[in-house]
Amino acid sequence: MCHTSPMHRPPPSVEARFAVEIALLLDRGLSLGDIAKECAVSRQTIWRLAVGDARKVSWEVGSKVEKGLGRLRGE
């Protein structure tokens, strides 16, 4: 028998993780445009990620966003 307990939930999706990180950066005073510029993607793409409207992000876009968010986090 296979069941999923609360302690064994799958990790959040990449899109959900990006939404949380974008929200934190917005709280720090960055704009969607600032984030988009650092990630080398459109402001609309960042907005769609932030509001949960992005479903399956392509590898190319996800890679750009991951690297840009890392730079904005200071990594």
Side-chain angles (χ1 to χ4, degrees):
M1 179 184 332
C2 181
H3 67 281
T4 303
S5 71
M7 294 185 68
H8 293 98
R9 285 186 214 149
S13 69
V14 169
E15 295 83 1
R17 187 170 52 80
F18 286 164
V20 169
E21 291 192 45
I22 290 167
L24 293 171
L25 292 169
L26 292 171
D27 286 346
R28 285 183 25 203
L30 277 77
S31 70
L32 291 174
D34 295 334
I35 298 166
K37 185 175 182 179
E38 187 63 39
C39 294
V41 298
S42 71
R43 190 174 49 159
Q44 181 180 7
T45 296
I46 296 299
W47 176 82
R48 289 181 65 214
L49 286 166
V51 300
D53 189 38
R55 291 182 187 49
K56 292 196 176 193
V57 175
S58 71
W59 184 88
E60 180 182 1
V61 169
S63 179
K64 288 180 177 183
V65 172
E66 183 71 43
K67 289 175 184 174
L69 293 177
R71 285 189 297 271
L72 290 168
R73 286 190 305 263
E75 296 176 0

